[in-house]
Amino acid sequence: MWNSLRLRLLMAVILVVLVAVSVTAVVAGRRTTGEFQRYVERGGPIPFARYAVFLARSYDMRQGWGAVQSEVERIGQISGMRVVVADAEGRIVADSENALIGKSAAGRWRVPAIEITAGGRPVGFLYMIPPTEPREAERAFLRAVNRSILFGALFAGAVAVLVILGMSDRILRPIERLTAAAQRMEKGDLSVRVPVDSQDEIGKLAHAFNAMASSLAMQEQLRRNLVSDVAHELRTPLTNLRGYLEAVRDGLIQPDAGLIDNLYEETMLLNRLVSDLHELAQAEAGQLNLVRRPVKVDEIVQRVVEAFGWQVESKGLTLRVDVPADLPLVDVDPERIGQVLRNLLSNAIMHTPAGGEIDIAARAEGKWVTVAVKDTGEGIPPEHLPFVFDRFYRVDKSRSRLTGGVGLGLAIAKQLVEAHGGEIWAQSTVGQGSIFRFTLPVAAS
Ligand code: ADP
C-alpha cells in the first residue's frame, strides 16, 4: 500500500499545504497588525471627536486651559493612549505623560490634530497618540487570527491528504494492473490483456501494452508455424533418404544408378529448402545486404531468360520478351531482382503445359517500372490467390512436392521486392493463365 509513488504524492501535497499555510499566516499577521494600527489611529472604538467636545466644554467652563492636565490624564487612562492638548498657538498645555508641557506640538506626531473649538473659535488641538507597543487587546486579536489560520490549515491539510489518497488509488490501480500483466507476460503468458477504462495517459499506456501483447502473441504464433512448417518440409526428404539407405544396408535393394539419382534428388531438395529458408529469414529480418545501383531492366531480364532457355525449349513453350531498351534505369540490386524474376519464370514454366506461352513485359509509370510475367498455364483458383505469397503455401501440395517446390519461391520474391520499396501482386484465371507483376523504383537521374 505504501509504495513509494503514493508516499511521494502525499509528501508533495503536504509540502504544498505547509508552504501555503505559512505564507498565509505571515501575510495575514502583517496585514492584521497594520490594519489594527490604522484602525486605532483613525479613531478607535470611541470617536476622538467626543474628547475634543468634552475638552471644549471644560475650556468654556474654566475660561482657559488652567486645569486641563487632570482631565487629559483621565482620558489617557480611559483610551489607553497618550493624550496631548496644545493651545491655539500649538504650545503644549497638557500631556497625559506629563513630559512635554510648554513645548511646541508642531510636527511631533503622525496622528492628525483634532481641533478644539469653543464659542465658535479654535482654542486648541487634541492629539491622541497610540502606544508604540501593541496593546493586549491587539495581541489577543492577532492570536485569534493565527489560531483560525492554524485550524484552517489543519482542516485543509486533512482534506488534501484524503483527496490524494483517493486519487492515488485511482492513478495507481491501473499501473499495478499493468505491472501484474507484464509480470505474467514475462512468465510466458502472452494472452494477458489489461482493461482500458480511461482516455488519459495511463489509458493510452494500457492500450499500447495490449497492442504490444497482441503483436508478441502473433509473432510467437508465426514463429511456431514456421518451425513446424520447416520440420514438416524436412521430414519427407529425410524419411525418403533414410528408407532407401536402410533398404540398401539390409540388402533389400541394390544401389544402382537409378537409386543414386533418387537419393541425389532428395539431397538437392533439402539443399534448396535450406538455402531458400536462409534467404527468406534474412529478408524477413531486414538483413539483406542490397547492393543497389542504377541498372537497365532489360539487362536483368535478358540474363534470366538466357538461363532458362533450355527449360523453355524442352517443355515446348514460347517465351516472348517485351522490354523497351529506353526504359528509365531502376535503382535495385540486380542479383536480388534477378532472383525475383527467376522465381516467377520458373513458376510460369512449371505451371504452363506444352505449347503454352510466357510473356515478360516491362513498362514505366511515373517513378516506377512495372515488370509483368504472364503465362497461359493452369491458373490459380481464386480461393488460393490471396495466399500464394505466404511461406510454405502451395495450391496443390502433392503435385508441387513432386516438382520440388516447397512454397517459398513467391514468399522470397515478395520480401525481395518489398526490400526495394516495391510491390508484388498476382492476377489469375483458372484454365487461362496467371500474371505476376512487381514494381521497381526508377533511379534518380
Ligand atoms: P513453389 O516453390 O512451391 O513453387 P511458390 O511460392 O513459388 O512455391 O508458389 C506458391 C504456389 O503458387 C505454388 O505452389 C503454385 O501452386 C502457385 N503458383 C505460383 N505461380 C504459379 C503460376 N504461374 N501458375 C499457377 N500457379 C502458380
Side-chain angles (χ1 to χ4, degrees):
M1 156 92 178
W2 287 104
N3 57 36
S4 65
L5 197 54
R6 185 173 278 132
L7 199 62
R8 266 182 275 166
L9 270 173
L10 205 60
M11 299 299 269
V13 166
I14 289 175
L15 192 73
V16 168
V17 169
L18 276 180
V19 169
V21 166
S22 319
V23 170
T24 313
V26 169
V27 171
R30 289 213 170 157
R31 270 203 76 92
T32 311
T33 316
E35 284 297 321
F36 204 87
Q37 199 84 21
R38 258 195 293 285
Y39 168 69
V40 169
E41 283 172 7
R42 253 188 271 118
I46 308 162
F48 297 151
R50 277 206 212 153
Y51 295 134
V53 171
F54 171 75
L55 288 169
R57 229 178 275 144
S58 155
Y59 179 92
D60 252 355
M61 266 180 352
R62 297 195 176 89
Q63 284 303 304
W65 288 124
V68 78
Q69 176 64 24
S70 62
E71 280 156 7
V72 161
E73 280 172 17
R74 243 195 12 253
I75 297 175
Q77 277 167 3
I78 296 168
S79 67
M81 295 183 174
R82 181 176 187 180
V83 182
V84 172
V85 172
D87 64 13
E89 281 76 45
R91 204 168 42 85
I92 294 171
V93 293
D95 173 4
S96 62
E97 286 183 9
N98 228 332
L100 296 168
I101 295 172
K103 305 255 167 63
S104 165
R108 227 178 250 277
W109 298 284
R110 266 198 304 141
V111 295
I114 304 160
E115 204 177 57
I116 306 169
T117 43
R121 64 189 177 88
V123 294
F125 299 97
L126 165 67
Y127 296 92
M128 302 288 295
I129 303 131
T132 34
E133 283 292 301
R135 293 171 309 169
E136 183 47 35
E138 197 178 324
R139 273 202 295 270
F141 179 72
L142 267 181
R143 268 202 302 275
V145 168
N146 282 339
R147 211 173 313 134
S148 315
I149 290 175
L150 187 70
F151 279 133
L154 284 178
F155 181 70
V159 170
V161 166
L162 286 181
V163 168
I164 205 69
L165 280 182
M167 260 182 61
S168 69
D169 248 17
R170 268 185 58 86
I171 295 171
L172 295 180
R173 204 173 307 127
I175 294 183
E176 282 160 1
R177 276 202 303 246
L178 272 167
T179 311
Q183 280 164 346
R184 274 176 61 194
M185 241 165 109
E186 190 193 355
K187 292 197 180 108
D189 180 1
L190 294 181
S191 67
V192 281
R193 301 289 181 275
V194 287
V196 180
D197 41 19
S198 67
Q199 289 300 311
D200 56 13
E201 287 81 352
I202 293 180
K204 284 183 195 147
L205 178 63
H207 197 274
F209 178 89
N210 287 344
M212 183 190 72
S214 303
S215 158
L216 277 176
M218 207 176 81
Q219 293 295 328
E220 176 64 12
Q221 189 57 43
L222 281 178
R223 194 186 62 79
R224 283 198 193 139
N225 288 352
L226 178 64
V227 170
S228 84
D229 285 344
V230 170
H232 179 79
E233 294 302 329
L234 287 173
R235 193 179 303 122
T236 320
L238 280 175
T239 309
N240 281 349
L241 277 174
R242 208 181 93 190
Y244 281 126
L245 290 173
E246 276 176 0
V248 172
R249 185 193 61 191
D250 298 344
L252 296 177
I253 51 174
Q254 288 305 309
D256 56 12
L259 178 67
I260 303 285
D261 274 354
N262 242 329
L263 296 181
Y264 180 74
E265 225 164 75
E266 291 294 346
T267 56
M268 285 308 288
L269 206 71
L270 279 171
N271 208 38
R272 185 179 149 198
L273 173 61
V274 171
S275 59
D276 279 1
L277 270 173
H278 179 66
E279 187 155 13
L280 186 64
Q282 268 192 329
E284 284 186 341
Q287 284 172 350
L288 281 179
N289 196 11
L290 295 182
V291 188
R292 292 170 82 148
R293 59 181 170 89
V295 22
K296 294 182 78 173
V297 178
D298 58 343
E299 260 175 37
I300 305 177
V301 173
Q302 219 45 57
R303 204 164 324 135
V304 172
V305 166
E306 274 164 25
F308 278 89
W310 66 272
Q311 274 196 47
V312 173
E313 242 170 67
S314 65
K315 230 189 143 178
L317 302 172
T318 310
L319 175 60
R320 281 190 296 260
V321 176
D322 172 20
V323 181
D326 60 353
L327 276 182
L329 300 182
V330 287
D331 175 34
V332 299
D333 180 336
E335 281 312 309
R336 306 291 187 182
I337 296 306
Q339 171 81 54
V340 173
L341 213 51
R342 273 195 293 280
N343 290 6
L344 295 184
L345 192 54
S346 76
N347 277 348
I349 293 170
M350 191 181 299
H351 296 283
T352 306
E357 293 166 3
I358 298 173
D359 288 282
I360 301 179
R363 293 284 176 274
E365 282 162 37
K367 290 180 175 316
W368 300 93
V369 169
T370 306
V371 182
V373 178
K374 178 170 173 282
D375 64 52
T376 57
E378 66 203 32
I380 302 168
E383 67 271 23
H384 290 288
L385 199 56
F387 306 108
V388 289
F389 293 101
D390 291 356
R391 55 192 176 199
F392 295 114
Y393 194 85
R394 288 178 308 212
V395 173
D396 180 349
K397 300 193 190 258
S398 56
R399 207 196 112 164
S400 297
R401 255 210 59 72
L402 289 176
T403 52
V406 291
L408 286 178
L410 289 178
I412 291 173
K414 183 170 191 276
Q415 289 293 334
L416 292 179
V417 169
E418 287 177 355
H420 285 84
E423 281 180 81
I424 185 166
W425 67 99
Q427 284 172 296
S428 190
T429 311
V430 174
Q432 288 187 17
S434 317
I435 310 181
F436 284 81
R437 289 194 174 87
F438 60 94
T439 54
L440 300 173
V442 168
S445 48

